[in-house]
Amino acid sequence: MLMSLPCLALAATSLREANERTRRFVQQTMTEQRIPGLQVAVIKDGRVVLSERYGYANVENKVPVTATTRFPINSATKAFTGVAMMQLAQAGRVDLDAPVSRYLDDLPAAWRAIRVRQLLGHTSGLPDIVDQNGSIGAGPEAAAWQAVKARPLEAPIGERFAYNQTNYGLLAQIIVKQTQMPYEQYLAQRQFAVVGMPLTTFGDSYDLVANAATIYSHSPRGTLAKDDAHRMSRWVYDIPYSLWAGGGIQTTADELSRWLIALSNGRLIDQDHLQRMWTPEKVNSGADGAWGAGWPVLRAAPPRQVAGIGGARAAFVVYPDEGLAVVVLTNLAGANPQRFVGKIAEFYAPLKPAASR
């Protein structure tokens, strides 16, 4: 049913008000948290209703954030890997209920019965290839994989949720095996090109990525400088190639928005696989785990909330039952935008989904 002219005017006014409140809130939050640079985008009913950028991509050289500044999304990359696995499942090339050993050779005996879906939902019980400092060690990646395969399981398969990077390193290997192309090439062909994401790429602090935001931190470095606890410094992060599926993407809020719209419109996977991807993986007790297939499930019951969260500086949250999604990318480690995205979403709550108008 078409809205009457008064209703259309009210909706437009409400949208303008929501956008203005978002602008004020974002700028206030940046000031309070000393966030150097930020991109924000809001999607409502399948279209971008707000796309803004603020601050500096590089503070010391006063380079402003633009619409084309690339921000690392780190672990939010796992959402793209989840879509890749759903694409392969939809095509009949991967059975999510099958044991990992169907697709990968040279696995320890204890790993062979783990289901593909348990890798996606972090219920595998595998040891983490990344240590508490976020490193795989000083040696080569191959040595790190050899070392982690020699360790025992940290929990019985399916017993509990425990986030780790080993899961997504193995998922990347499955994608390579089943598509006969590198992980990053598969995503470029089957997601980035389909959606229109020419700026989206892979890399970390050590890679030469054009127009990439410099990452900063306010964490004390333990120096003798009198202002050590208050000054801003560069934050260096390392995502080894074999773990790109768990954290390697650099992109923009606008391109992420295109991807989220395409995802909801069925251009990447069908609705059945979309709903399965956003359904929490259950543990052995029958309780819901914290993740679906590549996505943290913040709320499983309507109104649902699913997310991509990465590096304590990037987040996008989808509210499927409200026709809403919010993207916030920052260059401050510790900004944790997932903690304030919900406030932005509240500004748009009075705007009902199009189907209910």
Side-chain angles (χ1 to χ4, degrees):
M1 180 181 294
L2 295 176
M3 291 186 290
S4 66
L5 288 177
C7 286
L8 282 169
L10 178 61
T13 300
S14 298
L15 179 58
R16 284 196 295 269
E17 290 176 354
N19 285 345
E20 185 55 36
R21 293 178 73 183
T22 297
R23 294 184 183 102
R24 292 197 300 267
F25 172 74
V26 165
Q27 292 178 72
Q28 178 184 348
T29 302
M30 289 183 70
T31 299
E32 292 174 352
Q33 295 196 27
R34 296 189 293 156
I35 298 173
L38 178 150
Q39 292 174 342
V40 58
V42 178
I43 302 162
K44 182 64 178 169
D45 297 333
R47 68 186 182 95
V48 177
V49 296
L50 179 74
S51 176
E52 307 259 323
R53 65 284 321 174
Y54 302 94
Y56 291 114
N58 180 275
V59 173
E60 55 268 39
N61 295 307
K62 293 184 168 54
V63 178
V65 174
T66 69
T68 59
T69 301
R70 292 176 167 119
F71 285 81
I73 63 171
N74 293 85
S75 288
T77 301
K78 292 178 175 68
F80 285 79
T81 303
V83 172
M85 293 304 298
M86 288 296 163
Q87 288 177 321
L88 295 178
Q90 184 174 316
R93 300 172 74 176
V94 170
D95 180 354
L96 300 179
D97 292 316
V100 181
S101 55
R102 178 181 298 183
Y103 305 105
L104 299 178
D105 303 321
D106 193 29
L107 292 174
W111 295 23
R112 293 173 188 166
I114 296 168
R115 307 292 170 177
V116 175
R117 58 180 168 77
Q118 292 171 323
L119 297 178
L120 285 161
H122 294 294
T123 61
S124 65
L126 287 172
D128 198 343
I129 191 171
V130 174
D131 62 26
Q132 292 181 345
N133 296 318
S135 172
I136 64 169
E141 289 179 64
W145 278 102
Q146 185 177 3
V148 76
K149 287 180 178 181
R151 290 164 53 190
L153 292 178
E154 295 190 349
I157 297 170
E159 187 67 21
R160 59 181 173 86
F161 169 86
Y163 179 87
N164 82 57
Q165 305 299 340
T166 310
N167 293 321
Y168 279 74
L170 293 177
L171 288 167
Q173 294 174 34
I174 292 173
I175 291 170
V176 170
K177 188 81 174 287
Q178 296 307 107
T179 66
Q180 295 297 297
M181 67 177 73
Y183 166 83
E184 68 276 15
Q185 184 180 338
Y186 177 80
L187 258 64
Q189 289 186 10
R190 295 299 307 277
Q191 295 188 42
F192 304 163
V194 172
V195 171
M197 302 174 73
L199 297 175
T200 302
T201 188
F202 290 85
D204 61 18
S205 294
Y206 296 96
D207 292 305
L208 305 181
V209 178
N211 208 23
T214 303
I215 308 303
Y216 299 95
S217 171
H218 295 306
S219 300
R221 294 170 58 192
T223 74
L224 296 177
K226 62 181 180 180
D227 60 346
D228 181 67
H230 303 286
R231 65 177 177 171
M232 178 183 294
S233 59
R234 287 201 176 199
W235 180 269
V236 177
Y237 71 100
D238 179 14
I239 308 291
Y241 177 76
S242 66
L243 300 181
W244 272 4
I249 286 179
Q250 296 199 25
T251 188
T252 71
D254 284 346
E255 294 200 352
L256 265 175
S257 296
R258 289 178 211 152
W259 181 77
L260 289 169
I261 292 169
L263 187 59
S264 65
N265 287 345
R267 292 176 58 198
L268 295 172
I269 54 177
D270 63 30
Q271 287 298 311
D272 287 343
H273 285 85
L274 180 67
Q275 297 313 315
R276 180 169 184 181
M277 183 173 70
W278 286 347
T279 299
E281 173 66 24
K282 292 188 179 297
V283 295
N284 294 341
S285 68
D288 287 346
W291 278 50
W295 296 68
V297 180
L298 307 183
R299 181 182 171 92
R304 295 169 294 162
Q305 298 178 21
V306 294
I309 300 170
R313 55 182 171 270
F316 48 88
V317 180
V318 180
Y319 305 82
D321 302 311
E322 300 171 70
L324 179 67
V326 180
V327 179
V328 177
L329 308 182
T330 83
N331 59 347
L332 178 68
N336 288 303
Q338 70 276 9
R339 296 178 182 172
F340 60 80
V341 161
K343 182 64 176 179
I344 296 173
E346 288 178 7
F347 299 147
Y348 297 85
L351 304 176
K352 301 301 181 184
S356 66
R357 289 175 183 164

